[in-house]
Amino acid sequence: MRMKKAYRLKSRVAFQSVYTQGRSAANRAAVIHALKQEAGTATRVGFAAGRRLGKAVVRNRVKRRLREAVRSFWPRIRPGHHVVVVGRQAAVDMPFPELRAKIEELFERAGLLQREG
């Protein structure tokens, strides 16, 4: 199942505000930038991959893999945030289970995950 469009961050203005006002956490797979929104709003996530990762095919594959990694733990993400996930070079050929674990670890460090239970 795909992530609903209502939960995606798309506009340049939204990305810029998250980059400039938000807080970030990073590891070798990715960087996440998170900006708290007013209470009661759904969390929205955007994905980015810079040109230095490679040509469009490679960048799009990285974004698809990041999207799938986030989707796998989507129900645990706290509401009320805008998040941008930026792929890094290591994400290009990292095995998917490791990529998923690294992304989940970033969300945990940023305080965006609810406790399981």
Side-chain angles (χ1 to χ4, degrees):
M1 189 179 98
R2 289 176 56 173
M3 215 153 92
K4 291 185 177 157
K5 283 192 176 170
Y7 302 133
R8 290 209 216 126
L9 209 54
K10 289 194 162 186
S11 78
R12 183 173 175 78
V13 174
F15 271 72
Q16 281 307 127
S17 69
V18 173
Y19 286 138
T20 57
Q21 300 162 34
R23 297 177 56 194
S24 65
N27 60 23
R28 57 189 208 92
V31 180
I32 66 167
H33 299 270
L35 178 62
K36 192 158 179 52
Q37 300 297 303
E38 60 270 3
T41 60
T43 289
R44 297 175 63 176
V45 184
F47 298 89
R51 289 234 174 109
R52 70 171 59 161
L53 291 187
K55 299 212 181 275
V57 174
V58 175
R59 296 194 309 267
N60 288 336
R61 184 182 317 123
V62 167
K63 289 189 286 187
R64 276 196 310 271
R65 295 177 82 219
L66 291 172
R67 203 173 294 124
E68 179 58 26
V70 170
R71 192 188 68 76
S72 66
F73 56 85
W74 181 256
R76 292 182 45 217
I77 296 177
R78 293 181 192 276
H81 292 85
H82 281 177
V83 182
V84 175
V85 182
V86 183
R88 282 188 160 176
Q89 190 64 49
V92 173
D93 47 17
M94 185 178 282
F96 185 74
E98 186 182 346
L99 178 67
R100 183 193 174 287
K102 295 276 188 199
I103 301 302
E104 192 169 2
E105 170 200 311
L106 284 177
F107 272 76
E108 185 75 52
R109 278 191 6 222
L112 297 173
L113 290 185
Q114 297 169 339
R115 298 276 169 238
E116 292 182 73

